[in-house]
């Protein structure tokens, strides 16, 4: 995951994005050494292939490493409106703090639930455990639809198809050890067959994370079984190489893929699950999971503890919108 956070995701998700962005700032101030939080300038770069791109036509001021077939350059956002965290560090820190405060963490696979009427009484796991449940929060990303269909069939969520598989790379730039890449780039590349939209983000180790190529494949049973398409990864590397020589001659260290947690209307589902007394859901954040994760988690915690989300208005994200239930 890129870990990009910004003030500018479009409505109607804006209230959640704004609240969650502010929470990221708060977390960065609370744990300044743990999250690799950085404010970064974000560029929109148009690149091309063939005769149109030869000679690097665009002469606008830009970072020196952007020396490829650049046609247009614009600043998408200033540093004060865009920040970057490392998702792995963020998740590990939040989990560690929760455990320090008494939370128990169990790594297991959920296989089923016990019900009394429309209330979950226990969660069953692959290790044979049956965990008593006061409340249940479904936060299973792209697998949420399948889990709902299998175990919570009273909630009729329309299927979010096709399943979107996104590819990504970790690249060690060529010759950048003394001047590492510090900018985020949203690239729009026209190769003559259609526009491709890679994105590039700096990593704390000096490498870059690149994502972009998507396809539509059936969801595997678990995240550990996700495999990238080598052709998509090669195409992604070829397209992003038009930004500059340091990327084009760089070394691909990792080829990866993930499935986007989409909802039928591409807005998150956050709140009580209709037809069930003690079940909440938080999923469907598409590309903006890291941005909206903290705000979603805080709102769900408020619902569980106080019975109402106070930090953000969840009206647009209420799961009831798909059921015909009265809001």
């Amino acid at each position: 995951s890129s870990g990009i956070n910004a003030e500018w995701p479009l409505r109607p998700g804006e209230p959640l994005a704004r609240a969650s962005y502010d929470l990221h700032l708060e977390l960065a101030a609370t744990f300044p050494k743990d999250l690799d939080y950085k404010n970064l300038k974000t560029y929109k770069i148009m690149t091309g292939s063939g005769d149109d791109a030869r000679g690097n036509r665009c002469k606008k001021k830009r970072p020196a490493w952007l020396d490829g077939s650049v046609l247009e350059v614009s600043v998408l956002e200033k540093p004060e409106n865009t920040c970057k965290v490392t998702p792995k560090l963020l998740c590990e820190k939040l989990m560690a703090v929760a455990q320090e405060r008494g939370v128990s963490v169990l790594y297991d696979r959920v296989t089923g639930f016990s019900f009394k009427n429309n209330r979950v009484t226990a969660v069953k796991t692959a290790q044979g455990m049956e965990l008593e449940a006061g409340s249940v929060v479904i936060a299973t990303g792209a697998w949420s639809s399948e889990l709902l269909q299998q175990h919570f069939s009273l909630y009729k969520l329309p299927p979010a198809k096709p399943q979107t598989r996104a590819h990504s790379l970790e690249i060690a730039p060529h010759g950048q050890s003394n001047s590492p890449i510090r900018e985020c780039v949203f690239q729009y590349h026209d190769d003559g067959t259609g526009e491709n939209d890679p994105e590039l983000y700096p990593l704390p180790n000096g490498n870059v994370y690149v994502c972009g190529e998507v396809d539509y494949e059936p969801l595997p049973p678990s995240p550990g079984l996700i495999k990238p398409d080598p052709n998509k990864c090669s195409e992604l590397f070829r397209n992003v190489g038009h930004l500059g020589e340091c990327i084009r001659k760089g070394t691909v260290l990792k080829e990866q893929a993930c499935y986007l947690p989409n909802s039928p209307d591409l807005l998150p589902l956050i709140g009580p699950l209709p037809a069930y007394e003690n079940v909440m859901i938080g999923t469907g954040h598409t590309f903006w999971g890291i941005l909206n994760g903290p705000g979603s988690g805080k709102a769900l915690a408020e619902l569980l503890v106080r019975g109402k989300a106070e930090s953000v208005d969840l009206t647009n994200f209420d799961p009831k919108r798909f059921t015909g239930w009265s809001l």
Side-chain angles (χ1 to χ4, degrees), residues 49-287:
S49 304
D51 293 337
D52 286 342
R54 288 174 185 169
N56 197 1
R57 294 189 323 184
C58 180
K59 303 302 180 182
K60 287 185 179 180
K61 185 178 180 181
R62 59 187 184 273
W65 68 270
L66 286 167
D67 59 1
S69 52
V70 177
L71 303 177
E72 296 181 17
V73 176
S74 60
V75 176
L76 186 60
E77 269 298 347
K78 298 177 181 179
E80 56 265 31
N81 295 331
T82 307
C83 68
K84 170 84 170 58
V85 298
T86 299
K88 182 175 186 291
L89 298 179
L90 174 65
C91 294
E92 288 177 346
K93 184 60 181 180
L94 292 178
M95 186 69 74
V97 171
Q99 290 177 283
E100 290 170 3
R101 297 179 179 179
V103 172
S104 297
V105 178
L106 172 65
Y107 293 94
D108 202 348
R109 181 170 57 87
V110 173
T111 57
F113 302 85
S114 297
F115 293 88
K116 184 176 181 180
N117 298 323
N118 292 341
R119 184 179 183 85
V120 176
T121 58
V123 178
K124 301 175 182 179
T125 77
Q127 295 181 20
M129 303 180 71
E130 191 159 342
L131 306 171
E132 184 178 348
S135 298
V136 172
V137 177
I138 298 170
T140 48
W143 286 263
S144 298
S145 294
E146 288 190 0
L147 186 143
L148 292 172
Q149 292 169 9
Q150 292 174 12
H151 302 289
F152 297 92
S153 58
L154 294 178
Y155 177 59
K156 306 298 183 182
L157 178 69
K161 294 183 178 180
Q163 295 287 354
T164 306
R165 182 176 63 173
H167 293 77
S168 61
L169 309 171
E170 182 176 343
I171 301 172
H174 175 73
Q176 289 292 298
S177 58
N178 295 325
S179 181
I181 295 171
R182 296 184 175 89
E183 299 80 19
C184 298
V185 172
F186 282 47
Q187 179 189 5
Y188 299 85
H189 178 68
D190 187 354
D191 62 2
T193 63
E195 192 173 276
N196 298 282
D197 304 337
E199 301 170 13
L200 179 147
Y201 307 95
L203 296 174
N205 61 6
N207 297 333
V208 294
Y209 173 90
V210 174
C211 58
E213 292 292 330
V214 301
D215 55 15
Y216 305 97
E217 292 293 328
L219 194 67
S222 71
L225 297 176
I226 297 175
K227 294 182 179 180
D229 181 337
N231 292 329
K232 288 290 183 181
C233 291
S234 296
E235 187 176 351
L236 179 58
F237 182 53
R238 181 170 58 254
N239 288 337
V240 80
H242 288 278
L243 289 172
E245 183 179 79
C246 67
I247 301 298
R248 187 173 66 255
K249 293 184 177 180
T251 302
V252 176
L253 303 178
K254 295 179 183 178
E255 295 183 346
Q256 306 164 121
C258 67
Y259 281 81
L260 300 183
N262 294 331
S263 72
D265 62 2
L266 301 181
L267 286 176
L269 290 95
I270 308 171
L273 192 69
Y276 296 91
E277 294 181 18
N278 62 333
V279 182
M280 304 275 184
I281 189 168
T283 190
H285 295 81
T286 63
F287 294 98

